[in-house]
Amino acid sequence: MSEQTLLEVKNLEVSYQAGGKKVCAVNGVNLSLKKGETLGLVGETGAGKTTIAKAILRILPQPQGSVNAGEVWVDGEDLLKMPEGKMRKIRGKKISMIFQDPMTSLNPIRSVGDQISEAIRLHEKLPKSEVQKWAVDMLEQVGIPGARYSDYPHQFSGGMKQRVVIAMALACHPELLLADEPTTALDVTIQAQVLDMMNHLKEEYGTSVVMITHDLGVIAEMCQTVAVIYAGEVIEYGTARDIFNHPTHPYTIGLFGSLIVLDEDVERLSPIPGLMPDPTDLPKGCKFAPRCPTCEERCQRAAPEAVEIGEGHLVKCFRAKDGE
Ligand SMILES: Nc1ncnc2c1ncn2[C@@H]1O[C@H](COP(=O)(O)OP(=O)(O)O)[C@@H](O)[C@H]1O
Ligand SMILES: [Mg+2]
């Protein structure tokens, strides 16, 4: 792990027990994030993106969810081996998360200011007045007047609630922010404002971000590095430039091909015919084979390993290995 690397995920495997079956949600994921950079995780619903983030933060639903293998290195420590007490000090402080459905992260019967103060108080021992001042400052940093400290969530628009959630997540100046579809619930103009604001705050605090999205526009706007996730695997990984200019895995080509036709909600329009495989019964070979327009016999027999086709540009496809 180089000095600039903040997060390194190695061979992560996560499953859920559901209805007597094993759901193989994350199947050997490797990721690496440099300090101050944004790594995008992109892929359809059900690909395993949220599960990866929850496994990093060790908040998988219990008892269904379990990490079966892997390592999550942050600043020279494997989070998966850390005692829970130490992990609790890290959550919300060194690493924080914006959840997929931000509206449910707010308590409807407490003022937004109190909720930001609470996030600060959990980790900082300061007099009440100091904490309150800090919370007001956070509100203003996300573009909400400090005078609205005592207002309740229902008094805010969707975009403003999302700003409050971001203020809570960034209150303790985390080194790593896991942002799970932070703008999906917002309309397009508000989305652009919130992304601008996140980029600005990220610069200010030097925060590294894992940005989960199924929106390629968000990737283009925010991310230096991209991991394309399919059926719990990283099927292509590289710089945003590699992925946009030289998409190589047939799935990435399919996903990014759709960018020309539309600029949002790739998943709903499903540009690639077919569905992701059943995670309780994954294909033996390449998991994309059943949907792949260039599938060959070998693809059904064995799963391709990642091959490096350019510096740091990895692709899990036999044809990439052949240099096609
Ligand atoms: N609590 C759970 N119990 C059982 N299966 C789950 C649970 N949470 C997620 N899954 C399954 O794990 C897979 C990955 O889900 P998820 O990580 O939410 O994907 P994404 O965030 O990419 O949409 C899906 O097949 C999903 O149905
Ligand atoms: Mg998700």
Side-chain angles (χ1 to χ4, degrees):
M1 185 151 144
S2 87
E3 240 168 67
Q4 286 97 10
T5 308
L6 177 68
L7 168 72
E8 185 124 41
V9 174
K10 291 186 185 165
N11 189 35
L12 183 68
E13 286 181 25
V14 185
S15 63
Y16 297 100
Q17 276 303 329
K21 286 186 171 168
K22 183 181 178 190
V23 180
C24 297
V26 178
N27 305 301
V29 158
N30 293 295
L31 297 169
S32 163
L33 172 62
K34 290 204 186 91
K35 284 188 178 149
E37 289 206 335
T38 299
L39 164 68
L41 304 189
V42 64
E44 287 162 284
T45 294
K49 306 179 298 294
T50 298
T51 303
I52 293 170
K54 287 185 174 172
I56 291 172
L57 210 50
R58 285 183 30 193
I59 52 166
L60 287 167
Q62 293 301 322
Q64 314 92 291
S66 61
V67 173
N68 304 320
E71 296 163 21
V72 175
W73 292 89
V74 174
D75 269 349
E77 286 186 284
D78 182 356
L79 299 187
L80 299 184
K81 296 212 167 63
M82 203 174 262
E84 174 56 26
K86 193 167 174 196
M87 196 62 210
R88 220 172 289 140
K89 292 202 177 83
I90 285 180
R91 279 188 211 108
K93 168 78 180 152
K94 188 169 182 159
I95 309 176
S96 68
M97 182 157 172
I98 299 174
F99 289 92
Q100 194 158 358
D101 184 1
M103 307 320 167
T104 60
S105 317
L106 291 172
N107 183 338
I109 61 164
R110 289 187 68 194
S111 77
V112 297
D114 273 351
Q115 295 184 58
I116 299 170
S117 290
E118 173 73 27
I120 298 166
R121 241 192 325 264
L122 272 175
H123 296 286
E124 313 285 341
K125 286 197 174 56
L126 286 171
K128 204 174 168 188
S129 61
E130 291 287 310
V131 170
Q132 206 159 335
K133 240 200 289 178
W134 187 335
V136 167
D137 184 53
M138 283 312 300
L139 270 181
E140 289 184 341
Q141 289 214 44
V142 297
I144 296 174
R148 301 207 56 186
Y149 182 98
S150 303
D151 287 355
Y152 290 84
H154 74 266
Q155 293 168 290
F156 291 85
S157 67
M160 287 175 98
K161 273 190 269 204
Q162 183 58 293
R163 287 162 185 265
V164 172
V165 170
I166 293 170
M168 278 167 70
L170 293 179
C172 295
H173 305 174
E175 285 174 50
L176 174 62
L177 174 67
L178 307 171
D180 193 358
E181 314 242 10
T183 57
T184 301
L186 305 176
D187 72 50
V188 180
T189 33
I190 308 291
Q191 176 171 325
Q193 285 173 19
V194 170
L195 290 177
D196 269 357
M197 189 202 74
M198 284 185 72
N199 260 336
H200 173 78
L201 291 173
K202 171 179 143 17
E203 300 276 295
E204 177 147 342
Y205 300 134
T207 315
S208 312
V209 181
V210 174
M211 174 63 82
I212 296 176
T213 183
H214 60 258
D215 184 333
L216 304 178
V218 173
I219 294 280
E221 184 117 344
M222 307 286 288
C223 302
Q224 286 76 49
T225 313
V226 181
V228 183
I229 315 285
Y230 188 80
E233 287 185 30
V234 178
I235 53 97
E236 186 157 358
Y237 181 89
T239 62
R241 187 171 304 171
D242 288 337
I243 303 292
F244 278 99
N245 296 349
H246 305 287
T248 302
H249 194 286
Y251 179 67
T252 317
I253 294 171
L255 257 192
F256 282 65
S258 65
L259 189 61
I260 301 153
V261 191
L262 49 116
D263 55 18
E264 55 176 286
D265 223 341
V266 168
E267 152 228 0
R268 191 142 37 93
L269 289 152
S270 193
I272 306 160
L275 295 170
M276 240 178 346
D278 177 356
T280 65
D281 184 22
L282 290 170
K284 176 163 101 204
C286 172
K287 295 185 180 59
F288 187 61
R291 274 170 99 180
C292 182
T294 58
C295 173
E296 301 165 14
E297 197 241 320
R298 58 177 169 172
C299 309
Q300 284 159 347
R301 255 186 290 129
E305 295 289 321
V307 282
E308 190 166 16
I309 58 161
E311 205 195 325
H313 185 182
L314 299 165
V315 183
K316 271 191 181 174
C317 176
F318 288 121
R319 289 165 68 94
K321 195 171 182 177
D322 301 339
E324 284 177 44

